[in-house]
Amino acid sequence: MNITQASEEDHALPFNVFAKACPSRGTLEHITGRWGGLTLGALYEGSLRFNELRRRVDGVSEKMLSQTLHALERDGLVHREAQPTNPPRVDYELTPLGREVAERLLGLIHHLEGRMDDVLAARERYDEMRGGV
Amino acid sequence: MNITQASEEDHALPFNVFAKACPSRGTLEHITGRWGGLTLGALYEGSLRFNELRRRVDGVSEKMLSQTLHALERDGLVHREAQPTNPPRVDYELTPLGREVAERLLGLIHHLEGRMDDVLAARERYDEMRGGV
């Protein structure tokens, strides 16, 4: 049976992001894609409205943020709450699963931010050796 | 001074992936991009030759793996070791910084793989509510 056909009967099926047909690979990309990671990271601090989120995730377009939120909502990582007000108010927040994932992702992000001096020094050495890239 | 001009004099400068001009955002993308994360994860188990790596990272093309390795090498996360044999033998391995980053990334990956049943259940609920996507 193909791993892409995983259904509720197969919950013992091992998921493996290294296998290209495994659905976990798509979810990993939603989480770590250009905007997915920053969106999860921003929501970790609390629920935000669409425009607040857009300001926090510096550089994202309205269309890309909207697509990113749909993918994260579909994967059960983000919850969308529409208030029946006029105009309607829509808040986005992490689900418990989204918090678990965001926590690990922020661990990676903060570690990276703390080691960027080493990254920049490595780039300088690399470019000197190669005569620039 | 613009954050993109960070040099050795500025090592107290805070890096912040949420700011679009911060160089840490590019490195985060190398680490978490479509192939960067899988490459780091594969190398966490030990050094690999190019073709071994290509088999492990199921679905990657030669060109994409080559580009991915160059970006990771330039950021100081991967070390490329060419043996002076004939034909030349090239091994790739993580640097200490690459290991730190890969460890955190694998924590995220393993957590996600362990929660994919919930992700797939969420997708089913979402698609039922929306009448399919």
Side-chain angles (χ1 to χ4, degrees), chain A residues 112-113 115-121 123, chain B residues 1-7 10 13-31 74-75:
Chain A
L112 173 68
E113 288 172 343
R115 298 297 305 267
M116 277 306 293
D117 286 326
D118 296 306
V119 169
L120 295 180
R123 281 191 197 169
Chain B
M1 179 179 181
N2 193 301
I3 203 167
T4 56
Q5 296 169 323
S7 69
D10 310 306
L13 200 74
F15 293 99
N16 173 14
V17 292
F18 288 99
K20 81 179 158 194
C22 183
S24 64
R25 190 181 278 189
T27 301
L28 182 67
E29 285 173 10
H30 298 156
I31 292 169
R74 183 168 181 257
D75 281 348

Side-chain angles (χ1 to χ4, degrees), chain A residues 54-65:
Chain A
R54 205 182 147 193
R55 277 191 296 275
R56 180 83 177 104
V57 182
D58 188 18
V60 72
S61 70
E62 205 172 304
K63 189 181 161 194
M64 283 311 302
L65 181 56

Side-chain angles (χ1 to χ4, degrees), chain B residues 24-88:
Chain B
S24 64
R25 190 181 278 189
T27 301
L28 182 67
E29 285 173 10
H30 298 156
I31 292 169
T32 61
R34 188 168 175 84
W35 303 116
L38 297 175
T39 300
L40 290 174
L43 290 175
Y44 190 72
E45 282 151 48
S47 77
L48 290 172
R49 297 170 73 169
F50 188 87
N51 285 324
E52 292 170 329
L53 199 47
R54 205 182 147 192
R55 278 191 295 276
R56 180 86 178 102
V57 182
D58 188 19
V60 73
S61 70
E62 204 172 306
K63 188 180 162 196
M64 283 312 302
L65 181 57
S66 171
Q67 283 180 10
T68 299
L69 284 166
H70 277 299
L72 295 175
E73 194 192 347
R74 183 168 181 257
D75 281 348
L77 301 166
V78 163
H79 175 68
R80 181 181 183 278
E81 184 80 40
Q83 309 286 344
T85 54
N86 189 1

Side-chain angles (χ1 to χ4, degrees), chain B residues 107-128:
Chain B
L108 174 67
I109 286 175
H110 293 150
H111 191 80
L112 173 68
E113 288 172 344
R115 298 298 304 269
M116 277 307 292
D117 285 326
D118 295 306
V119 170
L120 295 180
R123 282 190 196 169
E124 245 172 71
R125 281 193 304 272
Y126 184 94
D127 292 348
E128 269 164 27

Side-chain angles (χ1 to χ4, degrees), chain A residues 50-108:
Chain A
F50 188 87
N51 284 325
E52 291 170 330
L53 199 46
R54 205 182 147 193
R55 277 191 296 275
R56 180 83 177 104
V57 182
D58 188 18
V60 72
S61 70
E62 205 172 304
K63 189 181 161 194
M64 283 311 302
L65 181 56
S66 170
Q67 283 180 10
T68 298
L69 284 166
H70 278 299
L72 295 174
E73 192 190 347
R74 183 168 179 256
D75 281 347
L77 301 166
V78 163
H79 175 69
R80 181 181 183 279
E81 183 80 41
Q83 309 286 344
T85 53
N86 189 1
R89 177 187 169 137
V90 183
D91 290 283
Y92 295 89
E93 62 184 355
L94 296 182
T95 62
L97 177 57
R99 287 197 77 76
E100 292 170 19
V101 165
E103 211 168 273
R104 283 158 179 85
L105 189 68
L106 282 169
L108 173 68

Side-chain angles (χ1 to χ4, degrees), chain A residues 108, chain B residues 40-41 44 94 97-107:
Chain A
L108 173 68
Chain B
L40 290 174
Y44 190 72
L94 296 182
L97 177 56
R99 286 197 76 77
E100 292 169 19
V101 165
E103 211 168 275
R104 283 159 179 84
L105 189 67
L106 282 168

